[in-house]
Amino acid sequence: MLKFIGRRLIQMTFLFFLFLTLVFFLLESQPGDITSQFLDPNIPAQVRQLIIERLGLDGSVWNRWWNYITNFVTGNLGVSFSQYPRSVFDVIVERIPRTLFLFTFATLLAYFIGFTLGKRVAWKRGGFSEHAVTIGGVLLYTVFYPWFAILMILLFGSYLDIFPINGFIDPGFWRNAPFTGNEVFSQLILSLAIAAFIVSATAILARRQEERRTARLIRAVGYPLSVIVLVGFWVIRSEMRPYALDIVHHSILPIITLALIAFAGVMLLTRSSMLETLREDYILTARAKGVPEKDIRDRHAARNALLPVVTSFVLGLAFIIGGGVVTETVFSWPGMGALLLNATVIEDVPVATGALAFIGVLALLGHLIVDILYAVLDPRIRIAGRE
Amino acid sequence: MTGRPTQVTEDQSTQVDPTELEELTPAVEVGEGELPRSLWRVRLRLAWQGFRKNWRLFAENKIGLAGLIIILIFAVMALAFPLLRAVGPWDNDAIYDPVIGYDAPVAELEVVPTRAEVTDPTQQIDAIDAQLWCFGALPGDTCRIPQQPAPPSEGHLLGTDPLGRDIASQLTFSTRAAFLLGLIAALVTVGIATSIGSIAAFYGGWLDNFLMRFADLILLMPLIPILIVMSGLWEINLPLLGVLIGVLNGFGGTAIVLKSQALSVKVKPFIDAARVSGGSNMHLIFRHIVPNVLPLSFLYMMFSVTEAVSLEATLSFFGLLNVDMSWGIMLNTAQSQGYLRSGFEFWWLLIPAGVAVTLLAAGFFFAGRAMDEVINPRLRAR
Amino acid sequence: MTDTRARTAGEETPSPMPGDEAPLLEVKNLVMNYEIKTGMVSAVEDVSFAVPKGRSLGLVGESGCGKTSIALTLMQLLPNNARILGGEVVLDGQNLLELGEEEMRKRRWDDIAMVFQGAMNSWNPVYTVGDQIREAIYLHWEPRPSYDEAMAKISELYELVGLNPGMIERYPHEYSGGMKQRAVIAMALSCSPKLIIADEPTTALDVIVQEQILEELRKVQHEFGMSVIYISHDIAVIAEITDLIGVMYAGKVVELGSTREIFANPRHPYTWLILSSTPSITGPRRQLAPLEGEPPNLLDPPPACRFHPRCPFATDICHEREPPLEEIKPGHWAACWHHEEVPTELVTESR
């Protein structure tokens, strides 16, 4: 298992450098060099030459490439043009938690609902519900996403007026707030992370128990405990609570919208994966053993149907990150995606390429997590060569 | 028993390259003297039979048929545009040009002194607001205000946009661009992916390894942010966008799928047979492997179109492309003029373009899914 | 379709063991069809047989003749498009076809266990073999045993089938094909069923492992005194381990009798022909005669006797009237109008 993760890490590092190289050549490929693009064309030639030398632009391509890579690894991404003199790194790091928040919740929601619904639809082959859910899923899968996001805003924001139409916080409400948005947001993430940890620890512990009664007991303690801890956290921090709720209120609609888009693909894939699994011999064996139908569906079929779904997450990752950029822009959610787009529009090249590189890192990390998760789920990979 | 001849094809498929089978069959079918001409007839007939068999399978899939119908409707729309512009009723350039046309119905409003006195906003306007259109208008005057965007009317079936341009004309005009973009993207994708997949499968070794790792990387990278940054560095127009999408897709996931298909072709006996009879590597790749990968390539062309159409619309919607008019631009115009956030009141700005993108993308996706079931029998419902 | 259904109804079930032995399982006039787009596939047509307690019965026939369909009908594990149109499956005096789904689920494995064709795929790849055997034990033992009790039982069974108990907590992919099949047998025994159905238990295995597995099966059958139904396309394999044989053709049982009797004195032309096409190690050397033709399409089976298109003895009566399954000799049943004409000598190929 450790060997597997180690090998994966090496592969990822290689891919990461390949990706940085791609970004570098993307930068290189723009017409003219940075001085002709962004400096006053009337500056004296000597000054221009000095700038070129100071920026290290006079070396060979390989020199510049090496500079770019070493700078990136040491966290030096240059200085933002539009938010001068903040460093690109700072600008990006501020945005990362917001993007991860949106992204994590939307992904979890999408995979949870998509998988649960997909396995049920496949199980009850035929009938009205299968058609309705499948057609709905396909439509969501192909819908023009920014347009769909606008429709969601119009429906839930303007028409039903349940959620705010955009933004991360309500500026009027925060005018005299004793905290900054980032402070409250980091507490929010902390509390959610603690609760998530308790939930997953409970699930893993309960799964390991052979006796059903012990497993039930662990679940009966663990799940409520996570809720209690979450509530308790915000009882203690009651002065921050209204502001945290404001952030939550703003985040619900973008999360749901992004989840809906990603959910469709997960559901369609789960459905076909499940249909395939149900034809396997071990399903027949389980039936012959007298295993109740619900257990056959969940313990035997769905558990195996999950494997290709997890693999597909690598593809889904690109899809959902792209969707995230659109979501952040349409909802004015100040994350990395919105940053990337705004920086592009105002020609802040260092920030735009820096954000792109970070999105790449995000994708690679997601890929690594999926690989490890897959190995945990599939014993054929986990304990290859134990003998 | 119309299935008979194709049945034979399947049985022999392991020994004989199915794409060359036509050349072997005529021996029993035609007399010697007229061989050259009849050969083509036999080929055509076999192709027709294959097509008919596949069509029957395809037609069983209702969603696939629906997709095909959607594509056909859009094709008719694309063809209708030049016709309608040339012979009418859209032959007036000043009004119906999708980019520079202008037409706004004029509302004649009575100017009243204060906002409180406006009882019917379609008939009256207060003096302050009226200054925007009729400078110097006094209460009691009549002020003529051009209406843009205007709701659907007889002259403009889908209304006009915030700049007074005809929506229906923009919609049909953009269809052509969407098809063009889809076609470019699909051709480039498939051209690159088929070559790369076949070459990687054929040569194997480090070349295969490198190409596939590279494909992994591209597959992993979200296209939208990459294209956004590219659009900041270069001027991107429609054909260039098509090529870019094609290149990124072609080096990525599609290449991986086509490689595994090419790999399964490579181990078939007819490749050995061709090699033994002295075929060069290039001959083997392009005469034997590529033709057998093509059906799957064609399938991925469909999915490529879906992707290209929605990517273009997304980027245009953000205003990042150098494009005069497209469905994305239509939404962008409405958005940037502030008409999208105000609810469904200006639905004709919101609905037609969004539905068009969704439907065309869905049409190609549905058709692709149905073709997938024809090509991969494993997927067929039993 | 045919006039057969009325025939055997009400009469005694054809039992290859005359009189004294009480049957554990009786199948009476079972009719089962698969409904497909183009019509009904007559997969099991008027099948009757009995299996005495502690005995083993072999069902033999070409692939697609309905052997597996019978097994799945006994277990009621048929796919959704299967229709049981008539008949009874009586186990220990109770008709299983009358049980509700939930009752039947509890009876599975508890009363009838099954060893499936293709051991490779009988195990769920994401759980250990031990997990999967314990699942059966937890479901069926009354009261539910503790983990340790279950493990003790599994270790005992592993010893019995010749597996190392240290393998219990391993995953299926860590087992070889033969080990998987042994583990399947252990799992089949875990709830001490009255009847085990072994569907092509050795087909996917190599010859030496086949022998071992068959030996294992015979051993446990004698030890536990349970009844076993073997299903195979290979009459030679069946003959080694079964007391009785039922020969199936196109969804029907055409001959039924003790293994010795069937081999010595086949009375149905089909049995005679498959015996002629099977090499014998102990018998005299002879040229083998391949079986000509293909089994019929069960969507539209031949009228009356389904074997008549391939039968060398066929006359007019064979495609006009269905031959009944008659007891031609105590414990030996055959369904053929011309059973007396079938020679005792096996056919040899004439070149």
Side-chain angles (χ1 to χ4, degrees), chain C residues 42-57:
Chain C
S42 159
V44 176
E45 180 63 37
D46 193 29
V47 162
S48 301
F49 62 84
V51 184
K53 271 201 177 77
R55 296 285 182 172
S56 53
L57 168 81

Side-chain angles (χ1 to χ4, degrees), chain A residues 163-379:
Chain A
F163 299 111
I165 56 171
N166 62 14
F168 176 62
I169 53 174
D170 181 359
F173 180 64
W174 284 66
R175 187 165 298 140
N176 295 314
F179 318 99
T180 65
N182 282 350
E183 277 168 16
V184 177
F185 189 58
S186 58
Q187 293 294 317
L188 185 64
I189 288 182
L190 178 69
S191 65
L192 288 172
I194 295 172
F197 174 77
I198 297 175
V199 167
S200 36
T202 306
I204 291 171
L205 262 179
R207 192 165 263 276
R208 291 236 173 121
Q209 298 307 312
E210 192 73 27
E211 301 291 336
R212 276 185 196 180
R213 211 173 309 146
T214 337
R216 223 174 283 150
L217 191 72
I218 291 175
R219 290 200 182 99
V221 174
Y223 292 143
L225 184 70
S226 66
V227 179
I228 292 169
V229 167
L230 193 64
V231 172
F233 188 98
W234 289 104
V235 167
I236 296 167
R237 299 209 177 275
S238 57
E239 70 285 357
M240 268 192 190
R241 199 168 53 220
Y243 300 102
L245 283 177
D246 185 49
I247 293 181
V248 170
H249 193 210
H250 276 83
S251 60
I252 290 176
L253 195 54
I255 287 176
I256 289 180
T257 309
L258 183 55
L260 272 179
I261 288 296
F263 138 86
V266 178
M267 190 201 70
L268 294 176
L269 184 73
T270 307
R271 176 176 163 268
S272 58
S273 163
M274 186 82 175
L275 287 176
E276 195 109 313
T277 309
L278 286 175
R279 288 183 203 146
E280 295 281 350
D281 285 350
Y282 52 77
I283 299 297
L284 192 61
T285 309
R287 285 224 165 86
K289 278 200 300 194
V291 177
E293 291 291 295
K294 192 172 160 295
D295 281 2
I296 291 180
R297 187 189 72 194
D298 294 341
R299 266 177 57 83
H300 287 273
R303 179 66 173 68
N304 279 284
L306 180 63
L307 297 176
V309 177
V310 170
T311 316
S312 84
F313 180 68
V314 177
L315 287 173
L317 203 64
F319 184 83
I320 213 168
I321 288 179
V325 173
V326 175
T327 313
E328 289 184 4
T329 312
V330 176
F331 284 89
S332 310
W333 179 264
M336 295 253 287
L339 179 72
L340 178 99
L341 185 71
N342 289 335
T344 305
V345 170
I346 59 176
E347 304 206 333
D348 188 345
V349 177
V351 170
T353 49
L356 180 64
F358 261 87
I359 285 178
V361 173
L362 212 72
L364 283 171
L365 276 181
H367 188 9
L368 185 67
I369 292 173
V370 171
D371 271 352
I372 294 172
L373 185 64
Y374 190 89
V376 168
L377 288 174
D378 191 345

Side-chain angles (χ1 to χ4, degrees), chain A residues 144-146 261 317-327 329 337 340-341 344 356 359, chain B residues 218 220-232 236 241 245 248 307 310-315 318 320:
Chain A
F144 177 37
Y145 182 44
I261 288 296
L317 203 64
F319 184 83
I320 213 168
I321 288 179
V325 173
V326 175
T327 313
T329 312
L340 178 99
L341 185 71
T344 305
L356 180 64
I359 285 178
Chain B
I218 302 264
L220 210 57
M221 288 307 139
L223 272 182
I224 290 181
I226 293 182
L227 287 172
I228 287 177
V229 172
M230 280 185 172
S231 72
I236 297 185
L241 180 69
I245 294 175
L248 287 171
E307 191 160 7
S310 49
L311 271 176
E312 186 276 330
T314 305
L315 294 175
F318 291 144
L320 296 169

